[in-house]
Every structure is written in C-alpha cells, then in structure tokens.
Amino acid sequence: MTAGETHQAIEAIFRIERARLIAGLARVVRNVDLAEELAQDALVIALSQWPGTGVPANPGAWLMTVAKRRAIDAIRRDKMRVRKHEEIARELDGEVDDTPGMIEAAMNDDLGDELLGLIFTACHPVLSADARAALTLRVIGGLTTDEIARAFLSTGAAIAQRIVRAKRTIGKAGLSFEVPRGVERMARLSSVLEVIYLIFNEGYAATVGDDLVRPGLCREAQRLGRMLAGLMPDDAEVFGLLALMEIQASRLPARLGPDGALVPLTGQDRARWDQLLIRRGLDALARAEALGGDGPYALQAALAACHARARSPADTDWPRIAALYDRLRAVMPTPVVDLNRAVAHSMAFGPEAGLRLVDEIADAAALRNYAPLPAARGDFLFRAGRLAEARSEFETAAKLTRNMREAAFLLARADACAENG
Amino acid sequence: MRVMVFVKATEDSEKGFAPTPETMAMMQAMGKYNDELRNAGILLTADGLKPSSEGKRIAFDGPGRRVIDGPFAETRELVAGFWLWEVKDMDEAVAWVKRCPNPMPGPSEIEIRPLYEMADWQE
C-alpha cells in the first residue's frame, strides 16, 4: 500500500470497519456511546498518520488496537468507579498485542460474533421498535442521524434524542453485547428480523409523506439482511427474511408509474423486475427451505416467489398462494394476514370467496380504520359487479390512508366504478 | 449503487486453471475475501471465467454476423472474473478492491465500473 492516501479513501476504509470496531469495543467497555467515540478517535488518528505511512496491511486490526489503547487511556483518566475500570483496563491490556499475527487471529476469530452481538443488542426487546431501527441504522448501517431522520421523515434532533435514550436504556439494563444462546436466541432473533423488516417496509411502503417508496431504506435493510445471512448461515428465518426482501425489492423499478402513482402487482411491467434480485431471492428461499423453513418469513418469501415466478399475472398460481396463506395464518395469526388470505382466495376461487373471508374478519379491532380492508372489499365487490357498493368502499379506503398518492389511486378506482356503473 | 468489478486477464489466467500449491493458496485467500464481502452485505454475485480460448465473439456489421473463435489477442483487456457489488459509493468499492488478494501470480488489474441505474435514464 502506498503513502499519500487521501482523507476520502481513509474514510471509506473506516466506513467498512466502523460497525465491527464499535462491536468489538462495545463488548469490552459495555457502552455503545463510548465505543462509537473511541472508534471515531481511531479514525482521527488514522487520518493524521495514514497519509504519511500508507494504509496498514490490516486496517481493521490497526484501528482496533489504536481504539483499545484510547480506551485504556480514557479509563485510567477517569477517577470515578476506579476499581471496576481498572478491571476493564487490565482486561484490555491483555488484549492489546502488537504482533500482527495475534491481532489478525483475534480479528478473524471473534469479529463476526462481536458484530452479531452488537446487532442483537441494538435490536434488544427492551427498546421500542423505533429506537431499535434508529440505533441499528446508526451503529450497524453507519447512517448519520440526519440520514435516518430523512428516511423516517423525522428531525435530526428527534432521532439523535431517540438514539441517546436507546443507548442509555441499554446501559441501564446492563446488556452484555453477547449473542444470546439457547431458548433466548430464538426470541431475540425474531426481534432482530422484525427491526430489519420494519426498516425495509418503511422504504417499500412508506406510511407517511408524499413518496410511496424510499429505495435507499430498502437497500439498507437488504444489506443488513445479507450481513445477517453471512453471520448466521444456518438459520432458516434469516434466509426467509432475506428472500422476502430481495424478491419484494426486485419489483421496485416497476412499482411506480410514470406519474409517480403506485402500480399494483398485477399491473406491473414484469420486464422491469430486477432479475438478479429475483434470483438471489429464490436462492435464499431454497436455502431457507433446505433448513426446514416453515416460519413466517420463509412462508411470506414463498408467497412472493409465486409472483416472481409468474411470467404474467394470468400465470400466477393463485391456488398455491391461497394454500400458503392458509399455512401462514397458522404461524402468524394476524388480521393483516387474514385480509391478504381473503385476497388470495378471491383470486383463486372468485370474489365471493374473498368477500366471505373478509366479512369474517371485518370486526377485528386491528383492522378498524385500516385502509387496505375497504380497498380489498371494494376490489371484490367491483369484480362481483356490485359497483355502487365498491365505490363507497374505495372512498372509505381513500379517506383512511395517510399516503396521499395511495389516496389518489383509490379515488381513481372509485371514479371508475361511477363511470362503469 | 451497483458496480461490476472485473478481474482482468493475464497470460497466466489465459492458460486456464491448474491446481498448483500457489493457485490453491490464492483460491483459499479469495474464498476468505468473498466471505468478507458476503458478511459486509455487499456481494450480489461473483464468478470466474474460463480462458478466452473457450470463448467466441460475434462480430456485427449491418446485417452481417461473423463468429470469431477464441483465444483473443490483447490479453490484458480480457476479463477473467467478476463480482457484482451493491456499495454506497465508488470510494467504498475502491477500498474493498484494495483489500482483495492479488488474483494473479504476477502483476494484475481489477477494474470497477458503475452500472446505469434508473435515475440515469431520467431527466
């Protein structure tokens, strides 16, 4: 490696190492904030040294060593809680070893595990879902608070506050930054997957604002999902979630019409679906199924795959989709799944079948004021030729949705009922 | 952004793969590097190409189509393998390529090319 590295190049290296650095440091100092600060200190030192010396052969290990030295210094300076800190300092002293071989061995052995530990901690159920998402995007994804604020249409100050509080909660709860084992692992993993899918969905189906999709947020979630699949290669639901996100993201180029309005699945130009992502999704699904995947994400991915495999809407295997929804309902008994199941049955067996199922769930509290319910009901009624009733359902749905473009789409469907009626 | 990362061919790669201790060690180093790419969440796909002696070119001239059998000249302009990555920017791609083990026994080159994205086709 030559000398004269630019700051830009060094910062790019740092971005690659940042999450692993924070993970390794957080495990020792038990404090995300301090770990972030130490990592940042290491970057400052690299920026002053590397332009002259060139980038070291193993920049990650170099940064880690420097950051751990800073940790020892910081802890020694700190007169508070002396005994506890000396203990940590001794522990760190033992770890800082300059022989490149030792450093490399330490880096290779543990870092995947440490990163996973940080992911599990940032997604810990003691934190609210919003806090988990913000913290994960910050410490794992490396997004700035402003970038996160833009993604969630919040302010930088509000996101910063959310992250500060999340870090404090982690400290107070005394979380260990370890990967949980045994029974706890399953419960904690579902919390991790939930956060990643929440990030994805906020990009895929924006709940607020003018934009229907924010692809950057989807890409961020996909990256997290791919990381997780690399770190947990034997977990079916990890691959189920990855498959689901890859296949759904494959449709992003076709989901918006030229006027910026949402194009429903059946109306999308399938030639614009991203075939690389479909292939990646189908591969991940095959892996999930080989691992015995019958969980909510694997089943949802199997559903998405039915659409991805169909060359045209008419080729869609609706009876298979209806059957998959019957299975999904068993492991994920939510009103939303019930609603989608009704849609699938309407496609497989006719609008009356859909109406029958949707009427069974119409009273569910969770679906009150839920725009997709009247939207689906409107669609069944429309297809059954009951246009006046369909129109009123579409109008109800348009009033309920918070997304302005979706409202426009629903009102257009209401108008179509009037024209045809 | 997506980038295609090409491993350019050399006289060695054009001879084809032979399992020697050196090439096996390189394969192992490359396997480890690919694990890193995968764990970082940036690797979309990757493959190695057989030498151009097994390839064909189709030359277009108006309606004419002429098939040319490999091997092809200008060895160093040929491609020996590729990755497709999803990275945040070109700097990240460059930083990742720099930590790739040298894919060839001698001097070699890796080329990074960004893919056109939807936004590039719009005003």
Side-chain angles (χ1 to χ4, degrees), chain B residues 10-96:
Chain B
T10 64
E11 291 71 17
D12 283 297
S13 71
E14 278 292 276
K15 285 180 200 144
F17 178 76
T20 66
E22 290 76 27
T23 58
M24 294 315 283
M26 199 281 288
M27 291 289 282
Q28 205 186 350
M30 201 55 94
K32 216 173 127 220
Y33 178 66
N34 279 322
D35 287 342
E36 277 186 52
L37 295 173
R38 200 171 297 114
N39 289 348
I42 69 168
L43 179 61
L44 297 181
T45 188
D47 262 308
L49 306 187
K50 291 184 175 180
S52 74
S53 56
E54 303 197 31
K56 285 182 192 296
R57 279 180 181 169
I58 290 85
F60 286 66
D61 188 1
R65 307 282 185 272
R66 188 167 52 90
V67 177
I68 306 159
D69 291 329
F72 309 121
E74 292 115 23
T75 299
R76 297 260 164 179
E77 297 304 316
L78 301 174
V79 175
F82 67 90
W83 292 273
L84 201 54
W85 295 348
E86 174 91 52
V87 289
K88 294 199 174 150
D89 50 37
M90 195 57 154
D91 291 334
E92 188 185 355
V94 171
W96 273 111

Side-chain angles (χ1 to χ4, degrees), chain A residues 8 15 17 141 223 280, chain B residues 44 88-89 91-92 99:
Chain A
Q8 212 177 331
R15 285 209 313 260
E17 299 297 341
R223 184 159 165 145
R280 286 185 52 82
Chain B
L44 297 181
K88 294 199 174 150
D89 50 37
D91 291 334
E92 188 185 355
R99 59 177 67 185

Side-chain angles (χ1 to χ4, degrees), chain A residues 171-339:
Chain A
K172 269 196 207 132
L175 303 185
S176 68
F177 297 91
E178 306 277 338
V179 181
R181 314 265 169 223
V183 203
E184 205 201 337
R185 192 166 174 278
M186 281 313 291
R188 293 276 303 278
L189 177 61
S190 73
S191 175
V192 172
L193 300 178
E194 185 192 330
V195 171
I196 296 176
Y197 197 43
L198 181 140
I199 294 168
F200 182 86
N201 265 324
E202 195 46 42
Y204 194 70
T207 48
V208 285
D210 279 341
D211 299 326
L212 279 174
V213 295
R214 287 195 280 279
L217 214 44
C218 293
R219 275 198 295 274
E220 209 54 58
Q222 285 167 269
R223 184 159 165 145
L224 289 167
R226 290 168 192 155
M227 276 171 71
L228 202 61
L231 296 169
M232 303 183 77
D234 298 314
D235 196 286
E237 279 291 85
V238 169
F239 283 88
L241 173 62
L242 179 58
L244 177 60
M245 292 193 296
E246 302 280 37
I247 296 174
Q248 287 188 322
S250 77
R251 298 178 204 141
L252 279 170
R255 271 187 105 220
L256 293 186
D259 54 348
L262 190 79
V263 182
L265 191 57
T266 46
Q268 291 174 13
D269 174 4
R270 295 184 181 217
R272 302 184 69 180
W273 286 359
D274 188 324
Q275 290 303 317
L276 176 69
L277 291 183
I278 289 178
R279 204 196 80 201
R280 286 185 52 82
L282 295 178
D283 286 353
L285 177 59
R287 175 87 185 136
E289 283 169 350
L291 291 165
D294 207 24
Y297 291 110
L299 286 172
Q300 290 176 84
L303 282 162
C306 289
H307 297 294
R309 288 192 187 103
R311 283 168 195 278
S312 73
D315 287 343
T316 309
D317 187 350
W318 286 108
R320 176 169 163 75
I321 291 177
L324 281 166
Y325 267 115
D326 293 348
R327 280 166 67 195
L328 182 60
R329 189 171 186 251
V331 293
M332 200 177 147
T334 70
V336 174
V337 169
D338 282 338
L339 177 58

Side-chain angles (χ1 to χ4, degrees), chain A residues 370-420:
Chain A
Y370 184 65
L373 177 74
R377 205 161 185 280
D379 184 62
F380 303 158
L381 290 165
F382 180 82
R383 283 158 49 206
R386 292 156 63 179
L387 297 182
E389 291 164 88
R391 181 183 184 183
S392 120
E393 294 285 353
F394 285 132
E395 282 166 353
T396 306
K399 278 195 208 103
L400 288 176
T401 181
R402 283 192 293 158
N403 192 304
M404 285 164 282
R405 289 190 182 282
E406 198 172 88
F409 171 74
L410 290 163
L411 286 175
R413 289 211 66 181
D415 288 347
C417 295
E419 280 162 26
N420 295 331

Side-chain angles (χ1 to χ4, degrees), chain B residues 97-116:
Chain B
V97 169
K98 280 185 177 174
R99 59 177 67 185
C100 181
N102 185 346
M104 302 291 168
S108 69
E109 249 180 30
I110 291 182
E111 181 176 317
I112 309 168
R113 300 279 295 275
L115 271 64
Y116 276 112

